[in-house]
Amino acid sequence: MTSSRARGVRNAIVSVVVTLAGVLGMAATPANALPMYAGDSIRIEYSDGVKYGCTLNSIAYRGGAMYGVTAGHCLAPIGGARPVRVLAADARTPISGDLRDSGFLLEGDNTLGGALKDVAWFPMAGHVTDPRAMRGGFIDLPFIGAIQGLSGFAQFINPNRRIAGRQPVTAVRTGQIVCKDGARTSRTCGPVLNVNPRTGEIAVLILSLQGDSGSPVYTVNPDGSANIVGIVSGAAYGMFVAVDAATPLPAGLR
């Protein structure tokens, strides 16, 4: 075999190997990797064994470490119980098993005009990956949970949205339509009722129920990507929703 022909065969073999590697994901993330999307259902497990549902607002970073962001009251102590783990939507898989580097800010209450700061953060486990996107949230049903057909349907009909970044509440105006992806009521949209730049809050008319706390509230860009402008703090009558600023984040998070 001539040297030129040998080189041709070798190059063809290399090309096939590279192609197969891409198809099979040989250079991709580990098999146990768990992507966590903004708007996904999370469960906060407390020291008394009780688990409470909230929503992952987004993923932030500090010094190369990855942190989950949610509402502050989701990680606040309840009576004598304190949060010990954060679990994925199946209520079994840990996404944060060490909360020593977590924290929360909770000033005021989680009603309209009350929660001046309602944000929490927790370190993500090493197997969690950041797709930098949202996929429509979940529909968490009492006694059934978040992993079921309705959640799958919600994620099927709602397009994934790439997260372009975070913006201050002053980036929106009264009457503008914003959306949220939540763990309880999936993706819903509605108008902004009020913007309060002094407290860093907005009020929106949008469907939201218990379990949606922490949901990312966002605007949609012409290309379909999302700018997160807030964190769902609480709701009155399931429709009048208090939203706290998503930037700047505390604790040096970006």
Side-chain angles (χ1 to χ4, degrees):
M1 181 182 295
T2 65
S3 60
S4 60
R5 185 178 178 185
R7 284 195 300 270
V9 172
R10 182 184 61 195
N11 291 339
I13 293 174
V14 170
S15 177
V16 170
V17 170
V18 169
T19 301
L20 286 175
V23 172
L24 298 176
M26 291 171 61
T29 53
N32 66 340
L34 177 64
M36 290 296 299
Y37 291 78
D40 275 5
S41 174
I42 58 176
R43 294 291 196 276
I44 317 299
E45 183 178 358
Y46 277 73
S47 53
D48 58 2
V50 177
K51 299 173 184 176
Y52 296 96
C54 277
T55 302
L56 179 68
N57 176 270
S58 55
I59 291 177
Y61 293 84
R62 184 178 67 201
M66 186 166 59
Y67 292 79
V69 177
T70 188
H73 64 270
C74 290
L75 256 66
I78 300 176
R82 58 180 180 82
V84 293
R85 290 196 304 172
V86 182
L87 309 172
D90 61 5
R92 296 188 304 271
T93 305
I95 60 172
S96 182
D98 184 354
L99 297 185
R100 288 176 296 179
D101 194 22
S102 66
F104 69 94
L105 294 177
L106 185 56
E107 299 178 6
D109 55 35
N110 58 335
T111 57
L112 290 173
L116 305 183
K117 291 181 180 176
D118 191 354
V119 59
W121 60 96
F122 54 90
M124 287 294 204
H127 63 278
V128 174
T129 61
D130 178 10
R132 301 179 186 271
M134 50 189 69
R135 57 177 169 177
F138 284 76
I139 299 177
D140 196 345
L141 299 177
F143 310 110
I144 297 177
I147 304 296
Q148 32 73 23
L150 281 178
S151 291
F153 179 72
Q155 293 170 9
F156 174 75
I157 64 173
N158 290 318
N160 281 20
R161 297 198 186 282
R162 178 181 61 85
I163 297 174
R166 295 183 179 86
Q167 291 185 339
V169 296
T170 51
V172 299
R173 65 186 185 279
T174 300
Q176 183 175 352
I177 299 299
V178 296
C179 299
K180 75 101 181 67
D181 280 18
R184 184 73 185 277
T185 58
S186 186
R187 179 171 294 170
T188 55
C189 301
V192 175
L193 301 177
N194 184 59
V195 179
N196 190 333
R198 181 181 63 82
T199 63
E201 289 180 290
I202 60 175
V204 299
L205 182 64
I206 196 170
L207 177 63
S208 183
L209 298 174
Q210 186 176 5
D212 286 328
S213 291
S215 297
V217 175
Y218 58 90
T219 60
V220 181
N221 297 314
D223 65 357
S225 63
N227 295 312
I228 298 177
V229 297
I231 303 167
V232 169
S233 172
Y237 309 108
M239 292 296 295
F240 300 97
V241 179
V243 179
D244 289 347
T247 187
L249 291 173
L253 297 173
R254 297 288 185 270

